Amino acid sequence: MNWRRKRLLKIISILLIIGFSYFLYDYYGIRQGLDLAGGAHIVLKAQDTDKRKVDAEAMQGIINILERRINGLGLSEATIRPVKNDNRIIIELPGVDKPMEVLDIIGQTAMLEFKNEEGETVMTGEYLVKAEPAHDQFGRPVINFELNDEGTKIFREITRKNIGKRIAIYLDDQLLTNPVVQTEIVRKGQITGYSTFEEAAQHAVLLREGALPVPVTYEEIRNIDATLGKISIDQSKKAGILGLILVALFMIFWYRYPGFIATQALVIYGLIVLGVMAGLRATLTLPGIAGLILSIGMAVDANIIIFERIKEELRAGKTVRAAIDAGFRRAVTTILDANVTTLITALILAYFTSGTVRGFAVTLGIGILSSMFTAIIITRNLMDLQMKFINSPRAFGVRR
């Protein structure tokens, strides 16, 4: 491959990286944590019952069902996590200003029971595979449900034995409907008794996602104002822009044109970080912004190491091309050593912590990986593409 094709390939590669990063950022956007977006903070506590004690399996079951219920309500970017060595679960819902309405739905045990005229439970909702809100032939809101094979056999037998009798349907001991069985029902059925379609839709979510293994009660529920988040974001933006300008001025003053190349790499680094965070659906928190700004400094550190190595090679009498090759080769080991140790710390923080501290660790980790990629790959290619501007030791501030 001749140098023209190599040059074209490098330009296309850099443009693709920039374009793809911007696409991810523009398409997915950056998820904001509760401290930035505001919203609801809810603490639930799982309760023991006579039939079952709260254990790790029950806690995981509750979290899985809560996640599905919240997703079913169309609430995105929610965070649900257990409190270690406790029966409590913390739910954070960015953008939600009426948490009680959400809690009334997701906090229900959602035990569906079918009872005969004697009040005996003849079947539960564990056999449901589908539950959708709909309107019946009279335009009334209903839930159309469908049973699995085992439930179909049971329900067929129940309805066959109770033709002409009533089968009541209860949700968490609340009577929904008490119809008379007209004929044997197979696989599909209908729950009536709703006054609004919205109510039917909310109950459909509960039935579809299953009942909680044990009841939960709420211990804390509060709204977090987003005003503090907006002020923090504005101040952080100012700090980030000011830091970027000062770093760029320093790099250009000290390293001249290579410093300008480092500034270009720094802008690309910023786009990559935002794109990766958006693509991974990572949540940006206030400490996360601090981690982002910190990683800007670390990204510049890598360029400084590279440029100092190149200057050492130039002082040793090598040509600019040979000095750049040797400088990058020698600097890579140092950059990896320095960043890997910080990356390990970020991983430990992300694994053992939660909330805003984890947000800081995740953002820092993404920043470190992006800074290494930018310094070693992007900066090198930018220098190759702009070699005519740095093809002299003086361009690096070295006089022979």
Side-chain angles (χ1 to χ4, degrees):
M1 187 181 293
N2 60 41
W3 71 271
R4 288 182 184 277
R5 287 189 175 181
K6 285 183 178 178
R7 180 183 176 85
L8 182 61
L9 184 62
K10 289 177 180 178
I11 293 174
I12 292 174
S13 299
I14 291 175
L15 289 178
L16 281 176
I17 291 171
I18 294 174
F20 186 61
S21 299
Y22 181 78
F23 165 76
L24 290 175
Y25 171 72
D26 186 59
Y27 186 79
Y28 292 105
I30 298 292
R31 298 173 58 176
Q32 294 183 357
L34 204 62
D35 54 347
L36 297 180
H41 177 92
I42 301 171
V43 179
L44 300 178
K45 185 173 184 180
Q47 304 291 331
D48 291 331
T49 65
D50 295 336
K51 297 180 179 178
R52 184 168 186 179
K53 299 293 183 184
V54 178
D55 54 15
E57 184 181 356
M59 290 292 287
Q60 189 57 51
I62 294 172
I63 291 173
N64 293 340
I65 292 170
L66 288 176
E67 285 179 343
R68 294 200 296 268
R69 288 180 178 181
I70 289 173
N71 291 334
L73 293 174
L75 299 174
S76 60
E77 305 174 5
T79 301
I80 306 172
R81 63 178 187 275
V83 178
K84 290 182 179 178
N85 303 319
D86 201 352
N87 294 344
R88 291 176 175 82
I89 296 171
I90 296 175
I91 302 175
E92 294 178 343
L93 302 169
V96 172
D97 55 0
K98 296 180 179 177
M100 279 306 299
E101 293 183 1
V102 177
L103 185 60
D104 285 342
I105 300 171
I106 66 172
Q108 292 187 42
T109 305
M111 174 62 74
L112 184 72
E113 295 176 290
F114 296 82
K115 296 185 178 182
N116 59 21
E117 289 185 343
E118 289 71 37
E120 299 169 335
T121 300
V122 292
M123 198 177 82
T124 64
E126 61 181 308
Y127 305 106
L128 263 64
V129 294
K130 187 177 180 181
E132 298 290 345
H135 290 95
D136 64 9
Q137 57 183 331
F138 304 107
R140 297 174 300 191
V142 298
I143 293 178
N144 290 328
F145 67 85
E146 186 173 332
L147 301 168
N148 61 18
D149 292 341
E150 185 179 0
T152 298
K153 294 177 183 176
I154 297 173
F155 203 53
R156 174 189 290 167
E157 184 67 15
I158 292 170
T159 51
R160 187 181 64 79
K161 291 181 177 178
N162 289 276
I163 291 177
K165 299 181 180 177
R166 293 187 180 276
I167 294 289
I169 302 176
Y170 288 82
L171 182 65
D172 288 345
D173 296 326
Q174 178 187 350
L175 178 64
L176 296 178
T177 183
N178 190 23
V180 177
V181 180
Q182 302 292 342
T183 183
E184 187 177 290
I185 300 175
V186 179
R187 191 173 293 278
K188 294 182 179 180
Q190 197 171 74
I191 301 174
T192 61
Y194 292 103
S195 55
T196 64
F197 184 83
E198 288 70 23
E199 186 184 8
Q202 291 170 0
H203 279 181
V205 171
L206 299 178
L207 298 177
R208 189 167 58 240
E209 308 307 344
L212 296 177
V214 294
V216 295
T217 57
Y218 76 87
E219 293 207 331
E220 180 183 353
I221 181 166
R222 58 187 165 94
N223 285 94
I224 296 180
D225 195 350
T227 304
L228 178 61
K230 185 177 184 308
I231 295 172
S232 302
I233 291 174
D234 291 341
Q235 291 176 339
S236 299
K237 282 182 180 176
K238 290 178 183 176
I241 293 172
L242 181 62
L244 192 63
I245 293 173
L246 291 176
V247 168
L249 290 175
F250 169 79
M251 292 298 290
I252 294 172
F253 172 77
W254 198 256
Y255 294 103
R256 305 185 181 183
Y257 199 85
F260 178 59
I261 293 177
T263 303
Q264 297 169 31
L266 203 57
V267 174
I268 297 174
Y269 157 80
L271 280 173
I272 292 175
V273 169
L274 293 176
V276 171
M277 289 194 65
L280 294 177
R281 310 298 291 145
T283 300
L284 183 64
T285 61
L286 192 56
I289 293 177
L292 201 59
I293 295 174
L294 176 62
S295 66
I296 291 175
M298 298 180 70
V300 176
D301 278 349
N303 283 309
I304 290 175
I305 293 171
I306 291 169
F307 293 159
E308 288 300 323
R309 290 281 189 270
I310 292 174
K311 290 170 73 172
E312 289 177 5
E313 299 297 331
L314 288 171
R315 292 191 186 101
K318 290 185 177 179
T319 64
V320 172
R321 173 66 71 180
I324 290 175
D325 290 340
F328 268 92
R329 192 168 53 251
R330 290 179 57 195
V332 164
T333 305
T334 306
I335 293 170
L336 289 176
D337 289 345
N339 284 278
V340 166
T341 52
T342 310
L343 185 61
I344 291 172
T345 305
L347 289 173
I348 292 173
L349 273 178
Y351 183 80
F352 286 104
T353 61
S354 60
T356 55
V357 178
R358 176 175 289 175
F360 170 79
V362 170
T363 308
L364 182 61
I366 291 174
I368 292 169
L369 292 173
S370 300
S371 72
M372 286 194 291
F373 174 76
T374 306
I376 297 172
I377 305 298
I378 299 294
T379 302
R380 177 59 193 267
N381 282 290
L382 288 175
M383 293 183 77
D384 288 344
L385 291 172
Q386 300 172 68
M387 182 57 73
K388 67 179 180 181
F389 298 109
I390 57 174
N391 200 18
S392 165
R394 288 180 177 273
F396 290 87
V398 176
R399 296 182 179 179
R400 292 177 176 171

